Amino acid sequence: MPQYNRQTFDQVMIQNYIPANFIPVKGKGSHVWDQDGKEYIDFTSGIAVNSLGHCPDEIVEVLKAQSEKLWHSSNWFTSEPTLALASKLVQHTFAERVMFANSGAEANEAALKLARRYAVDNYGYQKSTIISFKQSFHGRTLFTVSVAGQPKYSDGFGPKPADIIHVKFNDLASVKAVIDDRCCAVIVEPIQGESGIIPATTEFLQGLRQLCDENNALLIFDEVQTGVGRTGYLYAYQKYGVIPDILTTAKALGNGFPISAMLTTTEIAKSFSLGVHGTTFGGNPLACAVAEKVIDTIANDKFLAQVNRTSALFKAELAKLNEQFHLFKEIRGEGLLIGAELVEKYQGKASDFVKVAAENGLMILVAGPNVLRFAPALNISEQDLSQGIERLTKTLKYFA
Ligand SMILES: Cc1ncc(COP(=O)(O)O)c(C=O)c1O
């Protein structure tokens, strides 16, 4: 038995997670091995993070090279990798200005603070309302968790930040009913991830853009999960053709090296003037060097076209499995962020499927209690995909 094992978790870790019974020790591409040497196909990418697979050679190279140059210098000094990555993000998106942080929650915290500060600077303190959507997820800081529409995550921590309104996702009328000139921002996930892979409709996002413009409110797209190629576009806003004022990105940006960014325009960025917001690690040279290589690889038409082909193949395989087993009510999502909602009989039981899949050598995720979530590496090979599908077949057969 290895010195540190699953029981160690229960002895020394705070019990806010219940991790799987196996402990991954090595990964390469779409394969993972546990402490016993058992091999798994990874359809999770660490929750849409390792989008180029585990330990990709070209990124390992970049990380090694940067690790021999400069690890950290703080924001009292900038660094070449920081500037290179920011320049690439500006080049490939609507944004003119970038600020780095370390997690999705921090990027969203920055976005919400920026929206509030921009409103104060330009319109006054009365413009403070933030509109967000029921079942949304934006992170676990007190501000982001309060803005997100899931009381089960935000209740029980004392008073919440004020002036936050939650309305129905994909329902423009419910936004129209509450938005007015006191609204400083609307924050939305183009595809609600954690609550079940629910894509926004184009009309909804277009309507939000229009309502924000009419009320001088900023439109924030939380692309923490949908960004960096996951939907078959570098960012999902490019698929929808709706340009936000602020965009947040994290997860896949560093392929597993923690980094996030908030993107915006020069005009809005003025409200984060000297000393208004900050972070020790944001823009760290190691993280930025890695992320620059990630962006170079993914912001490429050929790469993204392949993501869309793999998506079509994956969805077709899921549809075939459903003809055989009839376990899914709906298969949905964009690119390689795919949700399969379970039929009535298995509602609430998505995590049972995850356990059986692991026994069959397959890593999958849930998105809420009723939905299986598939987020394989964007560059998964056809061979690894079909091997994973075989293991999924075995898993579904167990329940059918
Ligand atoms: C849409 C969205 N926003 C924010 C977050 C929070 O990111 P992090 O866990 O890196 O703080 C997540 C994480 O799942 C997410 O899916």
Side-chain angles (χ1 to χ4, degrees):
M1 169 99 79
Q3 183 184 0
Y4 301 113
N5 52 53
R6 183 60 181 75
Q7 279 153 20
T8 321
F9 184 94
D10 294 338
Q11 286 154 6
V12 300
M13 296 291 288
I14 290 176
Q15 300 288 298
N16 60 323
Y17 301 113
I18 308 176
N21 288 329
F22 66 95
I23 299 186
V25 291
K26 198 174 84 171
K28 191 72 192 164
S30 288
H31 298 255
V32 167
W33 289 265
D34 71 11
Q35 287 180 308
D36 299 326
K38 179 173 167 180
E39 180 261 353
Y40 300 78
I41 295 284
D42 186 357
F43 276 179
T44 71
S45 310
I47 324 185
V49 169
N50 310 109
S51 284
L52 297 175
H54 294 274
C55 305
D57 291 340
E58 62 285 8
I59 298 200
V60 170
E61 284 292 300
V62 167
L63 185 56
K64 275 188 185 160
Q66 186 59 40
S67 75
E68 288 172 2
K69 285 194 210 157
L70 184 71
W71 284 32
H72 178 75
S73 56
S74 91
N75 284 301
W76 285 101
F77 312 91
T78 189
S79 82
E80 287 178 355
T82 317
L83 300 176
L85 175 59
S87 301
K88 298 269 168 80
L89 289 169
V90 164
Q91 181 192 329
H92 290 295
T93 69
F94 76 96
E96 298 162 316
R97 299 280 163 169
V98 177
M99 180 176 171
F100 292 113
N102 313 289
S103 65
E106 279 175 89
N108 283 330
E109 181 85 17
L112 296 164
K113 282 181 71 182
L114 177 60
R116 282 260 175 95
R117 181 58 77 112
Y118 179 78
V120 168
D121 288 350
N122 292 282
Y123 305 98
Y125 276 94
Q126 78 290 348
K127 194 171 178 68
S128 60
T129 308
I130 292 167
I131 296 177
S132 124
F133 297 95
K134 290 185 180 153
Q135 302 307 320
S136 62
F137 187 78
H138 299 298
R140 299 293 196 120
T141 64
L142 189 57
F143 197 2
T144 55
V145 86
S146 304
V147 165
Q150 301 198 56
K152 69 176 181 212
Y153 295 139
S154 58
D155 285 353
F157 298 100
K160 296 177 191 177
D163 296 347
I164 298 164
I165 302 178
H166 298 108
V167 293
K168 208 166 154 212
F169 185 66
N170 266 341
D171 178 0
L172 212 49
S174 74
V175 185
K176 270 188 195 152
V178 295
I179 197 166
D180 59 23
D181 61 4
R182 284 168 301 178
C183 175
C184 72
V186 174
I187 182 167
V188 65
E189 297 162 83
I191 299 175
Q192 284 197 333
E194 295 307 298
S195 63
I197 317 296
I198 304 166
T201 64
T202 304
E203 303 73 58
F204 179 62
L205 295 183
Q206 282 170 342
L208 290 184
R209 179 68 275 174
Q210 194 184 339
L211 288 173
C212 283
D213 290 343
E214 287 166 7
N215 291 279
N216 293 320
L218 300 182
L219 181 59
I220 305 171
F221 276 9
D222 176 347
E223 293 230 31
V224 166
Q225 189 154 169
T226 55
V228 200
R230 184 51 55 189
T231 66
Y233 288 74
L234 182 61
Y235 287 99
Y237 85 85
Q238 293 160 330
K239 170 185 154 44
Y240 284 100
V242 175
I243 299 177
D245 299 297
I246 302 176
L247 180 149
T248 55
T249 175
K251 286 193 182 278
L253 187 56
N255 203 60
F257 202 109
I259 178 169
S260 64
M262 176 182 68
L263 277 49
T264 190
T265 63
T266 301
E267 174 57 25
I268 297 165
K270 281 183 196 156
S271 286
F272 266 4
S273 55
L274 184 63
V276 170
H277 190 64
T279 154
T280 297
F281 291 120
N284 169 281
L286 285 170
C288 288
V290 165
E292 187 199 356
K293 187 70 187 172
V294 171
I295 291 293
D296 281 346
T297 309
I298 294 180
N300 170 301
D301 289 345
K302 232 169 115 188
F303 184 94
L304 293 169
Q306 182 59 30
V307 173
N308 284 310
R309 277 195 292 276
T310 309
S311 166
L313 187 64
F314 203 121
K315 284 182 178 164
E317 291 291 349
L318 288 178
K320 263 198 260 167
L321 286 178
N322 209 28
E323 277 169 27
Q324 204 178 338
F325 299 120
H326 308 289
L327 288 168
F328 306 143
K329 212 163 135 181
E330 190 183 19
I331 298 162
R332 56 187 181 237
E334 297 292 338
L336 287 171
L337 184 56
I338 300 171
E341 183 170 350
L342 295 166
V343 291
E344 227 56 57
K345 180 175 168 200
Y346 287 106
Q347 297 259 313
K349 301 220 164 84
S351 52
D352 294 352
F353 285 70
V354 173
K355 284 187 199 127
V356 175
E359 283 164 20
N360 290 320
L362 178 68
M363 292 158 74
I364 60 172
L365 293 165
V366 303
N370 309 327
V371 176
L372 304 184
R373 174 171 31 173
F374 305 100
L378 301 180
N379 60 0
I380 189 168
S381 68
E382 247 182 71
Q383 199 188 346
D384 289 344
L385 184 71
S386 64
Q387 207 176 0
I389 292 289
E390 257 174 50
R391 297 176 190 188
L392 183 63
T393 310
K394 251 180 158 179
T395 305
L396 297 183
K397 209 177 205 166
Y398 175 87
F399 289 95

